[in-house]
Amino acid sequence: DPLMPNQLEQLKAFSAIAVETADAQVIDVSSNVVISTNAIVNVVKQQNSLMTEAISEAKKHHWSSYTPNPKPVVLLLTVNLLKKILPKTSGHIFIELDIALAFDTEGLINQARELHDLCRNHRLDASRVALTIPATWPGIEAARRLQRDRINTHLSMVYSFIQAQAAGDAAAFALSMPVDAATRWYKNNEPADYYESNDPGVQILSHIHNNLKCLGYNTKIMASGFDNLNQLRALAGCDYISLTPEQLHQLSQDQTALERKLDKATEIYERPPEVTEKDFHWYLTSSAMAYNQLGNDIRKLANEQRELEDLVKQTIEAEEYVS
């Protein structure tokens, strides 16, 4: 049937699509955008002017000493990317806070407020920015307080239902799970015959989705980190599906029919009591996959942020050498 829309168009009927990029050129008006530290590193390597602008702004506002700190530069770089991307789209932009604050509730809240204020000073629509915070207990506590101040948060690295329920209790705007990371953990640590029908990452995210919806939580659920397109096809109907530009292109080339797999809740059940800190740590630790993956993801992001901060330092040193 030549009239069948491609799979990307079909998917958009079930789920909001988010594209993983920091490049304003890739974005269309309907895009939601997930900006990872890795994406910022890539775009800065291609467009060095982004970095030099942020450094000269930081020099004006932040530095009184001769030991420049890369962190304010990274914050300004983030705001400059938001200035380029927000006007091009009507969607939400998800952007990471400093992973060094993963266990620091007050630090996360302070950085979130600073970023929020910078957005407003630049006349950007801060309500469309969701700040990505890892789903540690201090991260969830920060999200709870930020949401009360109407600052949208996105709790990432959710690998277990206890993290998802705590994110729902905190009224986070969104939570996300990297699907393939969970699947890979099971393949490496608990080998079995995993097929598409019992892909562990897909099963865990489906379980999180169906239970949160049945309990009436409003937190949006994002599926991300796919190794293959069949994982994301199995999650069609999730609130958000986050894709690389390559995956968007692949789906747009595929004309086969796509069916909805995850649905809205038909009835709402009574919620369990709110998750306590004690229960959170107990149930998180009792899932070896969730506990290990949360740690792996924090270390990986810390390395990516170190790479970005090193780029800042190298650029500053090169400029000082020239001047």
Side-chain angles (χ1 to χ4, degrees), residues 110-130:
N110 292 340
Q111 192 182 43
R113 288 192 177 136
E114 188 179 357
L115 192 56
H116 205 252
D117 289 347
L118 280 168
C119 284
R120 288 168 59 183
N121 295 346
H122 286 280
R123 294 191 169 76
L124 298 174
D125 180 359
S127 70
R128 289 199 288 123
V129 178

Side-chain angles (χ1 to χ4, degrees), residues 99 102-103 132-141 154-160 162-164 166-167 175-176 280-281 284 294 298:
I99 196 65
F103 299 97
T132 301
I133 296 173
T136 58
W137 184 258
I140 289 164
E141 278 297 304
H154 158 227
L155 287 163
S156 62
M157 310 178 189
V158 171
Y159 287 99
S160 62
I162 199 74
Q163 288 171 291
L175 67 83
S176 66
F280 178 86
H281 288 301
L284 178 62
L294 176 60
I298 289 171

Side-chain angles (χ1 to χ4, degrees), residues 74-95:
V74 172
L75 202 61
L76 289 166
L77 192 56
T78 302
V79 175
N80 289 347
L81 287 169
L82 288 171
K83 275 199 300 209
K84 285 183 166 31
I85 290 171
L86 270 166
K88 289 199 138 189
T89 168
S90 57
H92 280 89
I93 316 285
F94 298 85
I95 194 133

Side-chain angles (χ1 to χ4, degrees), residues 177-252:
M177 175 178 148
V179 175
D180 189 56
T183 298
R184 257 199 327 271
W185 190 92
Y186 279 103
K187 285 180 174 171
N188 293 338
N189 294 282
E190 296 180 14
D193 289 334
Y194 295 117
Y195 300 103
E196 273 163 31
S197 57
N198 70 340
D199 180 294
V202 168
Q203 286 193 320
I204 292 164
L205 192 58
S206 302
H207 171 78
I208 286 173
H209 175 278
N210 295 338
N211 280 286
L212 281 195
K213 297 297 174 201
C214 285
L215 294 169
Y217 286 105
N218 294 322
T219 297
K220 304 251 184 267
I221 298 165
M222 183 189 292
S224 66
F226 304 105
D227 174 53
N228 63 72
L229 294 179
N230 288 327
Q231 288 175 325
L232 76 89
R233 291 181 182 113
L235 294 164
C238 199
D239 296 314
Y240 282 99
I241 292 194
S242 174
L243 302 167
T244 64
E246 297 75 42
Q247 289 167 334
L248 285 174
H249 178 71
Q250 286 171 296
L251 284 175
S252 72

